[in-house]
Amino acid sequence: MGAQLRVYKRRIRSVTATKKITKAMEMISAARIGKAQRAVAASTPYADELTRAVTAVATRSTAKHPLTSENPNATRAAVLLITADRGLAGGYSSNAIKASLALAERLRSEGKDVVTYAVGRKGVSYYGFRDLTVAESWTGFSDKPTYADAKLVSAALIEAFTAETGGVDEVHVISTKFESMLTQTAVDARLLPLKLDEVKASEESSAKEIFPLYDFEPSAEGVLDALLPRYVESRIYNALLQSAASEHAARRRAMKSATDNAGELIKSLTRLANSARQAEITQEISEIVGGANALADASRGSE
């Protein structure tokens, strides 16, 4: 019985140590979420306004540009998958990977070859373990991306898109959108070629709204040359920030669940240890009483 009690106590110490680790990771992720949310909030208006500017130039001029020219006979598509560098984040990375596989299946059904680019060790490991080819990968900044990281990724994608031979006709991005502390959704979006949706007034807007007139210097082509790379960089940067915030939120939720489970396990083990201790004490008392009775019987027999 004493050996069983030692086993319970050893397990309680082990689970308690694990609980301290998961609690610390939960607190770290909770502290980082706020900073990640502020970064997303700061980058989103810039990315949206830059998208509007690029769309305005492309739709209100006759300029043609490689990044806005859609190939009706597209045969190759690039998919940028954004995952985490580290685990312990629940289904964050697996959901993004599932979305990328579904997108790749859809693109193949359209007769297109898929070229995969990956950000984060989880995505790279997934493809590497299955001997699937990754054209290029980047790791080490999934939880704290910078604009320089976005420029590095966007440069490779733009180069592949504008290559005369061996390039791609489309660029898609799989990222995780931060909707709330409890909800993060894996989404896919076509980044290139730019979808030239005309900027129109909404149905609720006033019919008297005046649309701006544009004058491009030095030319519409020159403006597109300057804006489109910035557009790609800003969109990828925003996707990286959204994914980073989602990663922290998913890890916080996973670590909180692990901490709560560890607490419940400690309670269960403590009850078992108490039961074992009570059984041990009861057995000792029984042995003492039995020994005393035996001595009493022996004493009466000798008389």
Side-chain angles (χ1 to χ4, degrees), residues 94-117:
S94 61
N95 289 338
I97 292 172
K98 289 177 182 177
S100 71
L101 296 177
L103 174 61
E105 185 66 24
R106 177 171 65 82
L107 293 173
R108 291 190 182 97
S109 67
E110 297 173 358
K112 301 171 185 175
D113 295 329
V114 177
V115 182
T116 303
Y117 294 78

Side-chain angles (χ1 to χ4, degrees), residues 211-238:
F211 288 95
L213 297 176
Y214 295 93
D215 189 16
F216 307 111
E217 292 291 342
S219 64
E221 291 82 356
V223 173
L224 286 175
D225 284 337
L227 287 182
L228 281 171
R230 305 289 85 77
Y231 156 78
V232 176
E233 292 168 6
S234 66
R235 277 299 167 192
I236 290 179
Y237 183 48
N238 186 259

Side-chain angles (χ1 to χ4, degrees), residues 94-144:
S94 61
N95 289 338
I97 292 172
K98 289 177 182 177
S100 71
L101 296 177
L103 174 61
E105 185 66 24
R106 177 171 65 82
L107 293 173
R108 291 190 182 97
S109 67
E110 297 173 358
K112 301 171 185 175
D113 295 329
V114 177
V115 182
T116 303
Y117 294 78
V119 172
R121 291 189 178 92
K122 288 299 177 179
V124 175
S125 299
Y126 178 88
Y127 280 88
F129 182 76
R130 289 159 179 78
D131 294 327
L132 301 175
T133 302
V134 175
E136 197 164 348
S137 62
W138 302 268
T139 59
F141 55 81
S142 71
D143 60 341
K144 194 176 179 181

Side-chain angles (χ1 to χ4, degrees), residues 6-298:
R6 287 193 296 272
V7 169
Y8 287 139
K9 289 184 176 179
R10 185 164 58 247
R11 289 191 63 189
I12 289 173
R13 289 194 296 269
S14 176
V15 176
T16 300
T18 301
K19 181 181 178 181
K20 291 180 179 178
I21 295 172
T22 57
K23 183 63 176 179
M25 295 181 68
E26 176 191 347
M27 295 175 66
I28 291 172
S29 295
R32 290 178 176 175
I33 288 174
K35 187 175 181 180
Q37 285 180 291
R38 289 191 293 271
V40 171
S43 70
T44 299
Y46 173 78
D48 291 342
E49 289 300 327
L50 191 54
T51 301
R52 292 191 185 97
V54 171
T55 303
V57 176
T59 57
R60 298 181 182 276
S61 70
T62 58
K64 299 295 182 181
H65 195 278
L67 300 187
T68 62
S69 301
E70 189 163 355
N71 185 357
N73 300 316
T75 58
R76 283 168 61 86
V79 175
L80 174 64
L81 170 63
I82 302 176
T83 59
D85 285 318
R86 298 183 294 121
L88 301 178
Y92 164 75
S93 293
S94 61
N95 289 338
I97 292 172
K98 289 177 182 177
S100 71
L101 296 177
L103 174 61
E105 185 66 24
R106 177 171 65 82
L107 293 173
R108 291 190 182 97
S109 67
E110 297 173 358
K112 301 171 185 175
D113 295 329
V114 177
V115 182
T116 303
Y117 294 78
V119 172
R121 291 189 178 92
K122 288 299 177 179
V124 175
S125 299
Y126 178 88
Y127 280 88
F129 182 76
R130 289 159 179 78
D131 294 327
L132 301 175
T133 302
V134 175
E136 197 164 348
S137 62
W138 302 268
T139 59
F141 55 81
S142 71
D143 60 341
K144 194 176 179 181
T146 64
Y147 196 81
D149 299 323
K151 289 183 67 175
L152 189 65
V153 176
S154 62
L157 294 175
I158 292 175
E159 181 180 358
F161 186 78
T162 56
E164 295 183 359
T165 58
V168 298
D169 303 304
E170 297 177 359
V171 175
H172 299 260
V173 178
I174 299 291
S175 60
T176 305
K177 183 180 180 181
F178 180 87
E179 297 181 2
S180 68
M181 295 292 290
L182 298 177
T183 306
Q184 301 85 41
T185 307
V187 295
D188 66 88
R190 196 184 81 176
L191 186 65
L192 294 174
L194 176 66
K195 291 183 179 180
L196 301 180
D197 297 325
E198 180 69 38
V199 181
K200 297 180 180 179
S202 62
E203 295 179 356
E204 297 79 14
S205 64
S206 172
K208 296 181 179 180
E209 183 178 354
I210 300 176
F211 288 95
L213 297 176
Y214 295 93
D215 189 16
F216 307 111
E217 292 291 342
S219 64
E221 291 82 356
V223 173
L224 286 175
D225 284 337
L227 287 182
L228 281 171
R230 305 289 85 77
Y231 156 78
V232 176
E233 292 168 6
S234 66
R235 277 299 167 192
I236 290 179
Y237 183 48
N238 186 259
L240 290 172
L241 291 176
Q242 291 271 3
S243 297
S246 300
E247 178 184 346
H248 291 312
R251 182 169 290 113
R252 176 186 176 276
R253 189 170 63 252
M255 291 301 97
K256 185 180 187 305
S257 177
T259 301
D260 294 342
N261 290 338
E264 293 298 323
L265 183 56
I266 290 173
K267 290 180 181 179
S268 177
L269 291 173
T270 300
R271 285 194 294 266
L272 292 174
N274 291 338
S275 298
R277 178 59 179 164
Q278 290 171 358
E280 183 179 350
I281 293 173
T282 301
Q283 182 178 354
E284 291 176 354
I285 293 174
S286 298
E287 291 174 353
I288 293 171
V289 172
N293 291 335
L295 290 174
D297 293 340

